[in-house]
Amino acid sequence: MYTVKHAAAMTGISPATLRMWERRYDVVVPGRSPSGYRVYDEAAVRRLSAMRALVEAGWSPRLAAEQVKSGTTGGSTPTDSVDGPSGELGDHEALVRVAEGFDGARLAAVLDEAFGRGTFEEVVDGWLMPALHALGDAWHRGTVSVAGEHFVSATVNRRLAGVLDALPVPSGAPRVIVGLARGSRHELGVLAFAAMLRRVGIDVVYVGGDLPPESWVVALNGDQPDAVVIGVPSSDDIAAVRDTVASLRAAYPDIAVHLGGRHQDHVGVEGSRPLGHQLGPAARDLAAQLIG
């Protein structure tokens, strides 16, 4: 159960707007703590997040509330109808099933439904990353083609980039450069992390994938950032990340270099700090360290 303050932070809705939606549209009915304070459960947080997504997409609050209360989002598609959820946030095999159909509308519906089930951070950690891992495993087994995997990944990339681009760049906030090392092109994890950092008030500079060590050093010229985040999504990236960390530390001995991705714990270079394997908590923890 979450207080108004916590529910507002999780959904990105101000406490005043949350109370207004509750009072005016009955989109959620909060419980009460023993002290009499409003508290919201996980279902209420998901409903508020779904309503916010509809409002941001151009729906009026009244119609968005009616849609959420009816149990549907994203038009007339029931929230539990897209491939059938295997958990609260959706089926981890959903992207595998749409990979071979090259049906953009179907893939968009799967993503819309998933991102309507919780906050951005909850959905990325609880559904998107496991679903992408399942897609990668299917590609390795040969049950999904290269073209199918690229079709899904490119669509997800555009969705995540849209989230990052839509967020305002905070003025005067700590600056963090986020990207991948030489030869690494699996951007989805670091791109989602960049969006999460900006959502918690960090000035993110996203430099993308396949950045050689010397280019990382150049990226830090001028206004030196407060920290650097480098993804290590595969074992093939470890050597290049080690070279990049060494180059950065040689040029900027005091720079904080943080590592994310599945293989972050295998880099083992002095001066690098693994962030952990849950993107949302890692973004919040890094922001707390930088903002103080």
Side-chain angles (χ1 to χ4, degrees):
M1 304 295 285
Y2 305 99
T3 64
V4 170
K5 181 179 179 180
H6 288 141
M10 294 172 69
T11 59
I13 303 166
S14 72
T17 298
L18 190 156
R19 291 189 183 96
M20 185 268 287
W21 284 358
E22 171 195 324
R23 182 179 64 254
R24 184 173 299 176
Y25 304 114
D26 294 321
V27 69
V28 292
V29 179
R32 293 283 176 175
S33 72
S35 302
Y37 293 105
R38 285 182 173 84
V39 288
Y40 301 82
D41 60 14
E42 294 284 355
V45 169
R46 288 196 298 272
R47 289 168 69 124
L48 289 165
S49 296
M51 181 167 172
R52 179 193 174 197
L54 291 175
V55 170
E56 289 180 346
W59 292 54
S60 72
R62 181 181 61 80
L63 291 177
E66 290 177 0
Q67 192 79 356
V68 170
K69 288 191 292 184
S70 72
T72 63
T73 57
S76 59
T77 307
T79 55
D80 289 336
S81 70
V82 177
D83 293 314
S86 60
E88 280 192 351
L89 294 175
D91 184 357
H92 294 169
E93 297 293 326
L95 296 182
V96 175
R97 286 195 290 275
V98 299
E100 288 304 313
F102 300 100
D103 185 339
R106 180 63 175 169
L107 178 53
V110 169
L111 295 174
D112 287 344
E113 289 298 319
F115 278 98
R117 292 175 186 267
T119 66
F120 180 77
E121 289 76 11
E122 289 171 336
V123 174
V124 168
D125 277 327
W127 177 79
L128 181 61
M129 300 314 296
L132 289 171
H133 291 159
L135 179 66
D137 290 343
W139 174 76
H140 281 294
R141 293 194 305 269
T143 55
V144 167
S145 69
V146 173
E149 190 275 337
H150 283 194
F151 160 67
V152 172
S153 296
T155 303
V156 174
N157 187 294
R158 292 194 298 273
R159 179 69 63 104
L160 296 176
V163 173
L164 178 63
D165 290 344
L167 294 166
V169 178
S171 176
R175 173 171 289 187
V176 177
I177 296 182
V178 179
L180 296 171
R182 177 189 61 239
S184 183
R185 297 181 175 85
H186 294 89
E187 291 188 48
L188 299 180
V190 289
L191 182 53
F193 188 72
M196 290 179 185
L197 281 179
R198 191 169 288 177
R199 279 170 57 86
V200 291
I202 299 297
D203 179 5
V204 176
V205 178
Y206 181 67
V207 295
D210 193 17
L211 203 65
E214 59 271 19
S215 296
W216 273 100
V217 172
V218 170
L220 270 64
N221 286 340
D223 291 335
Q224 187 172 323
D226 296 276
V228 168
V229 173
I230 305 173
V232 198
S234 76
S235 58
D236 294 337
D237 301 320
I238 294 173
V241 172
R242 287 173 176 164
D243 291 343
T244 301
V245 174
S247 296
L248 287 172
R249 297 285 293 175
Y252 306 99
D254 297 327
I255 191 67
V257 181
H258 301 270
L259 305 178
R262 283 180 117 176
H263 295 269
Q264 59 184 274
D265 300 313
H266 301 134
V267 174
V269 175
E270 183 178 356
S272 63
R273 311 171 188 176
L275 285 163
H277 296 274
Q278 290 291 305
L279 299 183
R284 292 192 295 272
D285 289 347
L286 180 55
Q289 293 175 33
L290 297 175
I291 296 172

